[in-house]
Amino acid sequence: MIKRILVTGGAGFLGSHICERLVADGQDVICLDNLFTSQKSNIEHLLGRSNFEFIRHDVTHPIFLEVDEVYNLACPAAPGHYQFNPIKTMKTSVLGAINVLGMAKRVKAKVLHTSTSEVYGDPTIHPQPESYRGNVNPIGPRACYDEGKRAAETLMFDYKRQNGVDVRVVRIFNTYGPRMHPYDGRVVSNFIRQALADEDITIYGDGSQSRSFCYRDDLVEAIIRMMDLPPGFAGPVNIGNPGEFTIRELAEQVVEISGSKSQIVVARPLPEDDPLQRQPDISLAKEKLGWEPQIALREGLAKTIEWFRSVDLDAFRAPTPNY
Ligand code: NAD
Ligand code: UDP
């Protein structure tokens, strides 16, 4: 049966791919976005479709829609974006969750919330299982995002316990791929842009900090599987690629794959509270979703570099001066 599905943050990097997949599956899709960190070109190809509509709206304000499912992605995700207006970031996570959950309660919709590995902060346990409660600095520059996302998780589980809302929470680890904002300041987009222009590759700190990078197709598949599970398992569940790389190793791979002449340089000290290591324990995702990533970093980077080569970078508006 056709479902009416709301995707908040649906014009963004991950949201637009979820919309695309749901439209292709024949669902009735509403994409809601204020276009803070994205632009309509991400969903341009869907705009003429009869089972797709776009609503320009800010999730910090209530909205009333009759839907069966909600994918809640609205929130700036790149450090430069979420630190640009930290109070707004916290409002987006918290008021956005309250507005989505209030609506879901009224119309008995399922809600899948996209949380983040940032709920683990600078982790003291490695790799991170869902049972780890994290090491977040509540007053640092990343707190607006980390604590906002933690509060949103709290709201999800309180609406489940108190109001019986069918919620599902995924904790996403660094994800990259075509359609990520070229000027989002995240490490993959920065390095690829720099490599393609033969500019210096800017490592922050000594480059020994690690991240685990998941290709967007793997991520989208896991998210859809989580939404489609029968009621019962609400998560939180880690979604990410356990392949862990230092930032220097990432820089080397980008230079090599793109055939760039760029030099790898230490551009500035490690930003405050920048996590030193990050790697998902995905045992739970394997067990509950029958899922594990299929696309290795090298292959995903090649596809992403290809996309960066194919787009006109001047056609993108930098959302904030923070890159
Ligand atoms: P993105 O910035 O491309 O997408 C976020 C979207 O939300 C954008 O289209 C933006 O315009 C919209 N938005 C922001 N504030 C809004 C508001 N107040 N009202 C309505 N729309 C608003 O980032 P993304 O990487 O696609 O991230 C999507 C979600 O996944 C986010 O919630 C993010 O926290 C989560 N996540 C992403 C990653 C990752 O590595 N990409 C990792 C962890 C969690
Ligand atoms: N980073 C870097 N150079 C850049 C951008 C980021 O060395 O040009 C580092 C950043 O300090 C962090 C890692 O790369 O250690 C990942 O940063 P990103 O902003 O992509 O995401 P995070 O996982 O920190 O939210």
Side-chain angles (χ1 to χ4, degrees):
M1 203 166 65
I2 295 178
K3 291 180 284 192
R4 297 161 303 177
I5 305 180
L6 169 65
V7 183
T8 78
F13 162 48
L14 297 176
S16 61
H17 287 289
I18 291 177
C19 286
E20 195 173 285
R21 165 82 179 260
L22 296 172
V23 166
D25 288 349
Q27 310 295 0
D28 183 2
V29 179
I30 304 173
C31 165
L32 179 153
D33 205 298
N34 69 351
L35 302 179
F36 171 44
T37 60
S38 56
Q39 45 200 32
K40 264 199 236 161
S41 55
N42 283 349
I43 48 163
E44 208 172 12
H45 58 300
L46 301 174
L47 285 172
R49 301 286 295 263
S50 58
N51 59 339
F52 180 81
E53 70 192 281
F54 172 62
I55 301 177
R56 191 166 187 152
H57 180 81
D58 186 321
V59 284
T60 61
H61 300 287
I63 186 155
F64 299 96
L65 295 165
E66 308 291 328
V67 291
D68 304 303
E69 293 180 351
V70 183
Y71 289 84
N72 189 38
L73 283 87
C75 188
H81 293 166
Y82 67 66
Q83 291 172 23
F84 175 69
N85 185 344
I87 297 169
K88 180 64 191 276
T89 299
M90 178 68 92
K91 284 185 182 173
T92 298
S93 272
V94 175
L95 296 177
I98 289 172
N99 289 330
V100 158
L101 285 161
M103 187 185 81
K105 174 187 159 190
R106 189 173 62 84
V107 301
K108 297 195 176 10
K110 270 197 253 183
V111 178
L112 182 145
H113 178 68
T114 53
S115 189
T116 167
S117 52
E118 284 284 321
V119 300
Y120 303 125
D122 189 5
T124 53
I125 288 187
H126 196 70
Q128 295 81 53
E130 291 82 354
S131 54
Y132 177 51
R133 292 186 186 176
N135 177 34
V136 173
N137 173 6
I139 58 169
R142 297 174 83 102
C144 59
Y145 182 71
D146 301 8
E147 297 290 15
K149 286 283 186 180
R150 288 171 68 98
E153 285 199 14
T154 305
L155 284 161
M156 293 292 145
F157 283 87
D158 280 337
Y159 270 80
K160 176 178 162 65
R161 278 185 290 261
Q162 194 175 333
N163 298 123
V165 177
D166 182 349
V167 300
R168 288 110 201 275
V169 175
V170 294
R171 290 182 178 155
I172 302 173
F173 284 64
N174 296 61
T175 302
Y176 68 101
R179 228 182 270 155
M180 65 190 308
H181 198 297
Y183 298 104
D184 66 8
R186 287 191 257 200
V187 69
V188 173
S189 26
N190 270 8
F191 286 5
I192 294 179
R193 256 193 318 108
Q194 291 160 347
L196 294 183
D198 290 328
E199 291 170 2
D200 286 350
I201 306 278
T202 55
I203 288 191
Y204 304 161
D206 64 5
S208 65
Q209 73 271 31
S210 72
R211 293 293 187 272
S212 305
F213 299 98
C214 185
Y215 189 65
R216 102 192 145 197
D217 293 0
D218 283 329
L219 198 280
V220 169
E221 177 62 30
I223 287 186
I224 305 261
R225 285 192 193 193
M226 183 66 177
M227 180 64 105
D228 289 348
L229 281 185
F233 177 62
V237 59
N238 289 339
I239 307 291
N241 190 322
E244 184 186 10
F245 296 86
T246 67
I247 293 306
R248 188 172 287 279
E249 285 168 340
L250 176 74
E252 287 163 358
Q253 284 212 26
V254 169
V255 169
E256 188 205 319
I257 298 168
S258 61
S260 170
K261 297 190 190 69
S262 294
Q263 302 296 313
I264 298 171
V265 302
V266 172
R268 54 162 113 149
L270 199 63
E272 191 180 343
D273 290 341
D274 198 295
L276 293 181
Q277 52 181 1
R278 187 182 283 159
Q279 185 189 30
D281 176 336
I282 59 163
S283 320
L284 194 61
K286 281 186 186 162
E287 179 199 329
K288 299 288 186 184
L289 307 176
W291 172 90
E292 64 183 310
Q294 304 296 318
I295 300 172
L297 181 62
R298 181 166 284 278
E299 185 187 348
L301 281 179
K303 289 174 195 268
T304 310
I305 289 169
E306 201 51 43
W307 179 78
F308 270 75
R309 279 194 214 277
S310 74
V311 294
D312 173 10
L313 294 180
D314 291 337
F316 290 85
R317 175 180 52 87
T320 74
N322 266 322
Y323 62 91

